Structures are given as C-alpha cells and as structure tokens.
Amino acid sequence: MTSRAVHVLVFEGFADWEAAHALAELRRSGARSVAAVGFDSAPVTSMGGLRVVPDRTLREFRPAEVEILIIPGGDLWEGTYDEPTLNDVLTELVSTDVPVAAICAGTLAAARAGLLNDRRHTSNVAGYIAEHAPQYSGAALYESVPAVNDRGVITASGLAPIEFAREIFKQLRVFSAADEDLWFDMFKHGRLAQSAI
C-alpha cells in the first residue's frame, strides 16, 4: 500500500460512471485512499447527479501526494476550462513518473497538455482529438482499441470503462494476473468463476 492517494478530477458535469469501477476496486481491493480534486473548491454535480465537494484544488496539487490522476469525460472538455493550470499539473505529473489516466473526452485534456504527441493512445474515435485539440500532433500513434497504456499515460474510449479500470489496476499492481482476469470476466462479461463463489 502507498501513502499517496488516487486523485480523480471532478468538475461540473463529469461522467461519474467512467471512473466508478476503477475507484471502487482501488478502495476495496487495493486499499487506496481516494481524493477529489477540482479546478476550485466549489462543490460540483456529476452528470449522474452526484454532488461532490473537492478535497483540494489543482492549485493545491502536490505530485508527491498523488499515486495516479484519473480524468473522467464530460462536456467541459469540448468547452473552456483553466487549461494552463491543468496543463502544468499534467506535465509535472508525467515528468515525475506519476501516471495519468484519461477516458472519453478527458483524453482531450491529455492531448492539450502534449501527453499524446509521442505516446500510443486512444479516445472515442479516430479524428476526435484532432477535431478538438489543434495543438495535438500524435494522430499517427492513435490506436482504435478500447484502452491503451503507454509509459504511464492511460487513455480509453468512453465506451470502455471496464478496460480503463483494468489498465489502471495493471499500472498500480492492484491484482495478481489471475485475479485481474477474474475481475474482468465478472464485470465485462458477467461471468463468475466457480472459485469465486
């Protein structure tokens, strides 16, 4: 177990379900602490209607306290946000070998920070990132798969929250290989092994 916490970025309208499988299992099986980080300290409401009060803001962020930063999707990413502050945080995390995991439109934040220009990655569909992030130059490294992890930057399609969670579990070494396969079969395919009953 680590003393660093799993951090999840929360903002008005964040897609709460996209990080839910990962967060639940990180707490339950991984015995991780989870912290919500916001652009500011104001409470936000998720797309599903959950009210969340950030534990800290991006300006209070300390990479040494972070095991991984999870960035869920949401309509925010196709609009405006405090891009300079988030870009600084993401760049600092990656430069200090702290993993970043972005799903769905959250991949736009990773792209705008330059994290996807030299890494294999995925998103919602080919062309989505280039359409919304003109500074992005990594299209040749795009893979049409559910989730990708390249050097600690995890990306996933919004249709792949289970694969996203699995890549996070691998990165943080939450499960043995056998237990990870068991978890994936249960949550992706609805199959419960006899050994788990």
Side-chain angles (χ1 to χ4, degrees):
M1 190 168 120
T2 177
S3 61
R4 297 177 297 157
V6 170
H7 283 59
V8 59
L9 186 59
V10 297
F11 47 88
E12 197 64 30
F14 75 95
D16 42 15
W17 69 92
E18 291 178 342
H21 284 287
L23 293 173
E25 211 60 58
L26 287 168
R27 282 181 41 84
R28 190 172 74 102
S29 297
R32 284 358 194 247
S33 297
V34 174
V37 61
F39 285 96
D40 57 41
S41 59
V44 297
T45 302
S46 74
M47 202 177 287
L50 296 176
R51 186 173 184 269
V52 179
V53 180
D55 297 300
R56 62 186 49 95
T57 70
L58 282 174
R59 295 188 186 279
E60 299 165 332
F61 210 69
R62 302 288 175 267
E65 300 172 352
V66 180
E67 186 176 14
I68 189 170
L69 174 63
I70 299 174
I71 305 172
D75 295 338
L76 173 78
W77 303 122
E78 293 184 14
T80 59
Y81 58 94
D82 185 357
E83 190 176 326
T85 299
L86 182 56
N87 287 355
D88 288 347
V89 166
L90 294 176
T91 300
E92 186 175 5
L93 289 173
V94 169
S95 71
T96 56
D97 296 322
V98 176
V100 171
I103 184 170
C104 194
T107 59
L108 298 177
R112 290 181 184 127
L115 305 187
L116 307 184
N117 291 336
D118 63 350
R119 286 178 171 82
R120 294 179 302 102
H121 59 278
T122 194
S123 184
N124 290 332
V125 293
Y128 176 71
I129 296 174
E131 178 183 347
H132 294 284
Q135 61 274 63
Y136 163 71
S137 62
L141 298 170
Y142 183 89
E143 297 183 4
S144 293
V145 296
V148 174
N149 182 352
D150 188 347
R151 293 175 288 137
V153 174
I154 298 166
T155 51
S157 161
L159 301 176
I162 303 300
E163 290 87 348
F164 182 61
R166 181 172 59 179
E167 292 301 330
I168 291 169
F169 302 154
K170 285 180 185 176
Q171 178 70 39
L172 302 184
R173 298 186 174 122
V174 172
F175 292 122
S176 68
D179 286 346
E180 182 184 300
D181 287 344
L182 177 65
W183 181 90
F184 187 79
D185 274 350
M186 284 192 300
F187 288 94
K188 182 66 178 182
H189 305 294
R191 291 192 296 248
L192 185 60
Q194 286 296 54
S195 62
I197 297 174

